Amino acid sequence: MSRHYHPPVKRSVEIAGHKTSISLEPIFWDMLRQAASESQIPLNALVARIDAERLNAETPPGLAGALRIWLVTRREN
């Protein structure tokens, strides 16, 4: 089975000093690590930045959904 169709994997991240678990498919974890590397910031810092952006939305999505949306749309901005 292709890695692209792997079920979500749960990982712990720290946002503003608080640990939380996020479930994402491996391809999104790979994309998130790549984005953090390109930005030269830790993965937790990137997740915290995206979390802050989503909380400013009129109708904030869940964190996992916000991460997926950010990753898919980041090249458009």
Side-chain angles (χ1 to χ4, degrees):
M1 182 180 214
S2 172
R3 178 174 164 78
H4 298 297
Y5 298 107
H6 192 281
V9 175
K10 186 177 279 193
R11 299 200 197 288
S12 292
V13 296
E14 191 171 319
I15 303 171
H18 300 285
K19 288 199 178 227
T20 189
S21 294
I22 303 170
S23 293
L24 293 172
E25 293 76 9
I27 192 167
F28 288 109
W29 283 117
D30 293 345
M31 292 169 70
L32 202 54
R33 278 190 291 276
Q34 180 66 32
S37 176
E38 289 172 7
S39 298
Q40 298 181 340
I41 60 173
L43 181 71
N44 286 344
L46 179 57
V47 171
R49 183 185 298 171
I50 297 166
D51 185 47
E53 287 177 16
R54 85 173 171 101
L55 292 174
N56 288 324
E58 188 174 319
T59 308
L63 181 54
L67 293 169
R68 289 183 188 97
I69 292 165
W70 186 89
L71 287 165
V72 169
T73 61
R74 77 185 187 107
R75 300 287 185 204
E76 296 173 6
N77 299 327

